[in-house]
Amino acid sequence: NTTDSTVTVETLDDVPEHVLRGLPEDVRLFPSAVDKTRLGVWATKSILKGKKFGPFVGDKKKRSQV
């Protein structure tokens, strides 16, 4: 009785180029603190309340669609 223990780990190669280009200067993608198989968004310095990022490139989805 064997089980498939293959775990797919998300890497920067999985991130579309336009997403990487659109990251603010002080934001990086590193392994998530919540799920080590996924990438998380990390700030290299404090982000002020009300700071806006953009423009958003992509399709907006409802929570039920993701």
Side-chain angles (χ1 to χ4, degrees), residues 6 9-10 18 20-21 25 30 34 39 44 50 52-53 58 60:
T6 304
V9 177
E10 189 175 35
H18 72 275
L20 296 175
R21 282 194 314 266
E25 182 178 321
F30 291 116
V34 176
L39 292 174
T44 59
K52 300 220 185 251
F53 300 101
K60 292 185 179 183

Side-chain angles (χ1 to χ4, degrees), residues 15-65:
V15 180
E17 184 61 34
H18 72 275
V19 172
L20 296 175
R21 282 194 314 266
L23 287 175
E25 182 178 321
D26 297 314
V27 173
R28 304 285 185 267
L29 297 178
F30 291 116
S32 170
V34 176
D35 180 349
K36 297 295 184 196
T37 66
R38 303 292 310 272
L39 292 174
V41 179
W42 296 82
T44 59
K45 69 178 189 179
S46 295
I47 299 173
L48 298 175
K49 183 178 179 179
K51 177 76 173 174
K52 300 220 185 251
F53 300 101
F56 173 75
V57 178
D59 298 321
K60 292 185 179 183
K61 303 282 184 184
K62 295 179 182 177
R63 285 184 186 260
S64 62
Q65 294 175 298

